[in-house]
């Protein structure tokens, strides 16, 4: 599925549509160049789960932000400054990826061999100043279902 977002506001709305159907243990892997809208989409996902959008910052310098007391806890990873996937081993990443929270991972291409077996792949590309192409690719049965529900919610 591909969507063209015409604005930051619309990208946030798409993130909220994703959040509407997230379950515990879901993993969203975000791919895209710097400035393509990964953090904006994450703000929408977080807002859809009950986080105030001004509380969602790119965790670039700390690698992980955790949001609790929501419908579903949210773990927000930003792997931009990661030297290599080996750095995640020290964190005990499995405890975050495979638990009772939903996990969003920016710069997921840096996961290398640690890429989850199943996840929703979301690629963002810059089309114009505020216009973004957002492509969803489900990897695994759960994420095919999630993609279908997101498609239904985008229009609402």
């Amino acid at each position: 599925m591909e969507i063209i977002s015409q604005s930051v506001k619309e990208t946030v709305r798409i993130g909220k549509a994703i959040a509407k159907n997230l379950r515990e243990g879901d993993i969203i892997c975000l791919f895209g160049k710097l400035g393509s809208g990964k953090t904006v989409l994450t703000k929408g996902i977080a807002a859809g789960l009950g986080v105030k959008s001004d509380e969602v910052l790119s965790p670039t310098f700390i690698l992980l932000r955790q949001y609790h007391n929501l419908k579903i806890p949210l773990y927000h990873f930003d792997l931009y400054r990661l030297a290599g996937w080996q750095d995640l081993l020290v964190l005990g990443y499995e405890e975050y990826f495979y638990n009772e929270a939903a996990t969003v991972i920016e710069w997921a291409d840096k996961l290398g061999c640690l890429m989850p077996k199943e996840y929703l792949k979301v690629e963002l590309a810059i089309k114009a100043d505020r216009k973004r192409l957002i492509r969803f690719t489900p990897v695994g049965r759960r994420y095919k279902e999630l993609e279908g529900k997101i498609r239904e919610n985008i229009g609402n």
Side-chain angles (χ1 to χ4, degrees):
M1 170 174 65
E2 291 186 355
I3 300 169
I4 298 288
S5 171
Q6 302 291 337
S7 66
V8 168
K9 186 176 180 179
E10 192 172 346
T11 300
V12 169
R13 186 179 63 78
I14 292 166
K16 287 179 180 177
I18 294 170
K20 229 180 217 187
N21 294 288
L22 284 180
R23 294 184 193 158
E24 293 179 355
D26 281 347
I27 301 173
I28 310 296
C29 292
L30 305 180
F31 298 80
K33 294 184 179 192
L34 196 62
S36 62
K38 294 180 298 297
T39 301
V40 172
L41 186 67
T42 301
K43 284 182 182 225
I45 293 169
L49 294 175
V51 178
K52 294 178 186 172
S53 64
D54 61 337
E55 292 179 16
V56 179
L57 306 170
S58 181
T60 298
F61 293 103
I62 61 167
L63 194 64
L64 169 66
R65 288 196 184 271
Q66 300 179 47
Y67 303 93
H68 297 280
N69 301 319
L70 309 170
K71 293 188 292 188
I72 301 171
L74 176 66
Y75 296 149
H76 176 200
F77 281 87
D78 185 325
L79 307 182
Y80 180 71
R81 296 200 181 277
L82 206 65
W85 58 265
Q86 299 87 343
D87 293 346
L88 279 174
L89 295 176
V90 177
L91 273 180
Y93 75 96
E94 300 100 330
E95 294 175 29
Y96 295 100
F97 285 18
Y98 307 108
N99 64 31
E100 78 288 345
T103 302
V104 176
I105 306 165
E106 294 189 43
W107 300 97
D109 52 305
K110 295 200 175 203
L111 286 170
C113 65
L114 301 180
M115 185 67 71
K117 288 182 181 172
E118 295 191 358
Y119 59 95
L120 182 62
K121 180 178 185 178
V122 182
E123 298 168 280
L124 295 101
I126 300 168
K127 298 306 269 177
D129 184 34
R130 297 197 182 275
K131 197 178 201 179
R132 301 293 185 263
L133 170 66
I134 305 172
R135 179 180 297 123
F136 295 86
T137 306
V139 178
R141 185 181 325 162
R142 160 68 187 135
Y143 297 99
K144 287 179 185 173
E145 174 190 331
L146 179 58
E147 180 199 31
K149 291 185 179 203
I150 293 167
R151 181 180 292 125
E152 291 172 13
N153 288 327
I154 293 295
N156 299 331

